[in-house]
Amino acid sequence: MSRNNTNSVNNTNSVNNTTASVRTIVDQYQANCARINQMADLCEAEQRTRTEQENAEYEALTRENAVLQMRMQAAAARHMAQNPNALADANRLLRDNMQEGRQTQIMFTPDLVMVADGTSGGIIPLNIQDILDPLTEGLILDKVGLPMPTGLAGDYVWPTYEAVEATIAGEGVELTDTKINMSKLTAQPQRVGVAIPVTRQTIIQTQGIIETIVKRLMPQAVAMLLNKVLFSTTKATGATSLVGPFVGKAATATAMSATPTFADFVKLKAAVLASGVDGTNLCWVMTQAQKAIAEATPKDAGSGIMVCEQDHIAGIPVFCTHYIGEGYIGLGDWRYQPMGLFGDISFIVDPYSQARKDAVDFVLNCNYGTTTLRPEAFALGKVAVDPGK
């Protein structure tokens, strides 16, 4: 009896020591990563490469992290061997943290998968990597500077009026009446939603991980649609009032060279400034490919300066999104394109409506509205087709 109690105490102490060891290793690993990020931020802010001293420190940190990763895997393997219920405990912790909205750090360790025949690999090591996120290049909605209020309700109206001009009159001559033409602009919200049914078998087999993926994908899907609405030259499917400033401008887009020159960009800039926009909040919108061409196009002969340098063209910042479409270059002051969220974002997990399919329905709904307050604050250029392609 005494021997069993002693063994139990020893096992408990071993598990506790393993947990403490893993915590120490993880803390050191995270501290090293934080220092590497600090060096990266400093180099980026000062627009330089690492110094000789920073290079030596960086190499030492990466070497130490490689050793720490091996120690983490070894410690995790010992913990799993000493505590067979560790995986079930981790799953419960993950689900509890998901419900409470807390972050969970999970470390997957290599496992072995047994297959039926030797030709299929016999014993194959299974290395579980991080979940790959979908490609979402071009989400710049939060970068261009447009107003994005939330929790809106009712009608949002922007009164507008036309400018008036004074007249010259002689002494004692009665002035004629001048009328002020008034109108209004409104933002009419439209419903944006996404529904993803997931079978219970999938939820069980993935031990709840699929729920995390769905909760990540759904708001991302809304962001992708809003980016498409604002920067595309055509209406999104089903859109009536939810349209961006470039819709309708494609037919009258300013012609630009197949390889746009600095003069082409300045011409587009001048067209917007001529409308009375002060130019302090302008930005370019184009694809990554179009920006790459501008980065390789000389501004003038012999200077070695390119059209696009330091993510700026003609003093105006450049943002990239594939939603504008290849061959189009947009310019605008996004203060004149407010977009607002009306009400709240509704996220419902419905386990009943698809019960016959043994599925759970994840449904997200929200209402967004946008309007172009000044169409002249935006311009669109169309790059000519290269005859050599």
Side-chain angles (χ1 to χ4, degrees):
M1 185 70 177
S2 175
R3 188 188 326 179
N4 290 339
N5 289 339
T6 301
N7 289 340
S8 176
V9 171
N10 289 338
N11 288 339
T12 302
N13 290 337
S14 177
V15 171
N16 291 338
N17 291 337
T18 300
T19 303
S21 176
V22 171
R23 182 69 267 168
T24 302
I25 294 170
V26 170
D27 288 343
Q28 184 59 48
Y29 186 88
Q30 292 176 339
N32 291 348
C33 291
R35 175 53 186 156
I36 292 173
N37 283 332
Q38 186 180 13
M39 284 193 290
D41 292 340
L42 184 61
C43 291
E44 183 179 12
E46 297 179 357
Q47 298 181 357
R48 62 172 176 80
T49 58
R50 293 191 300 269
T51 64
E52 184 176 349
Q53 182 180 359
E54 288 172 336
N55 264 332
E57 183 181 4
Y58 172 77
E59 291 174 0
L61 290 172
T62 52
R63 283 197 303 269
E64 184 178 4
N65 275 358
V67 175
L68 291 174
Q69 284 181 329
M70 290 188 290
R71 293 192 184 281
M72 280 191 286
Q73 291 178 350
R78 288 196 304 271
H79 181 61
M80 290 292 292
Q82 295 167 355
N83 184 9
N85 297 322
L87 183 58
D89 294 340
N91 290 333
R92 282 196 297 272
L93 176 63
L94 175 61
R95 298 184 69 88
D96 291 344
N97 284 355
M98 285 170 51
Q99 293 175 359
E100 298 295 330
R102 295 191 298 266
Q103 185 179 9
T104 306
Q105 182 181 23
I106 303 175
M107 181 181 64
F108 289 106
T109 57
D111 201 350
L112 294 177
V113 176
M114 303 296 293
V115 295
D117 58 336
T119 58
S120 298
I123 300 177
I124 303 173
L126 173 63
N127 297 303
I128 304 177
Q129 306 298 325
D130 291 338
I131 297 171
L132 293 178
D133 292 335
L135 296 176
T136 54
E137 175 272 327
L139 297 185
I140 60 173
L141 185 64
D142 59 338
K143 298 181 177 66
V144 295
L146 77 163
M148 291 192 67
T150 59
L152 306 181
D155 294 330
Y156 276 74
V157 179
W158 287 264
T160 64
Y161 58 89
E162 294 182 6
V164 298
E165 187 175 295
T167 58
I168 300 174
E171 183 179 353
V173 177
E174 184 179 356
L175 293 173
T176 58
D177 294 339
T178 300
K179 293 183 178 180
I180 300 178
N181 295 322
M182 300 287 294
S183 60
K184 64 180 181 179
L185 295 169
T186 60
Q188 299 176 346
Q190 281 197 271
R191 184 166 70 96
V192 175
V194 57
I196 302 178
V198 181
T199 63
R200 291 185 181 276
Q201 286 81 4
T202 302
I203 295 175
I204 294 170
Q205 289 297 99
T206 60
Q207 297 177 330
I209 298 297
I210 190 66
E211 298 176 37
T212 304
I213 297 174
V214 168
K215 291 176 182 178
R216 180 190 304 168
L217 282 179
M218 296 183 80
Q220 192 177 77
V222 173
M224 291 172 65
L225 176 62
L226 296 181
N227 272 264
K228 183 177 181 179
V229 164
L230 282 184
F231 304 118
S232 177
T233 57
T234 58
K235 283 186 179 182
T237 303
T240 54
S241 60
L242 198 62
V243 295
F246 298 135
V247 172
K249 288 185 178 288
T252 58
T254 302
M256 304 178 75
S257 308
T259 301
T261 63
F262 186 72
D264 288 328
F265 285 100
V266 172
K267 181 180 178 182
L268 206 61
K269 176 181 176 180
V272 174
L273 294 178
S275 67
V277 176
D278 58 24
T280 56
N281 288 83
L282 288 173
C283 67
W284 301 101
V285 180
M286 64 189 73
T287 64
Q288 290 281 5
Q290 195 64 59
K291 178 187 173 186
I293 293 173
E295 290 172 329
T297 303
K299 188 175 180 180
D300 50 20
S303 69
I305 301 175
M306 300 300 159
V307 170
C308 179
E309 290 200 340
Q310 302 296 326
D311 296 328
H312 281 69
I313 297 176
I316 299 175
V318 179
F319 296 101
C320 296
T321 175
H322 63 280
Y323 288 115
I324 194 171
E326 291 293 347
Y328 285 105
I329 295 174
L331 177 65
D333 187 333
W334 294 91
R335 293 176 302 173
Y336 298 104
Q337 186 68 40
M339 170 176 278
L341 169 64
F342 286 73
D344 299 321
I345 296 178
S346 169
F347 178 69
I348 297 175
V349 180
D350 176 12
Y352 305 112
S353 61
Q354 298 213 34
R356 291 194 177 192
K357 298 179 181 179
D358 196 25
V360 177
D361 215 12
F362 295 84
V363 183
L364 186 149
N365 278 289
C366 52
N367 293 275
Y368 273 94
T370 186
T371 188
T372 306
L373 299 181
R374 289 187 62 181
E376 63 271 21
F378 300 89
L380 186 68
K382 182 68 171 70
V383 176
V385 178
D386 189 346
K389 291 184 178 180

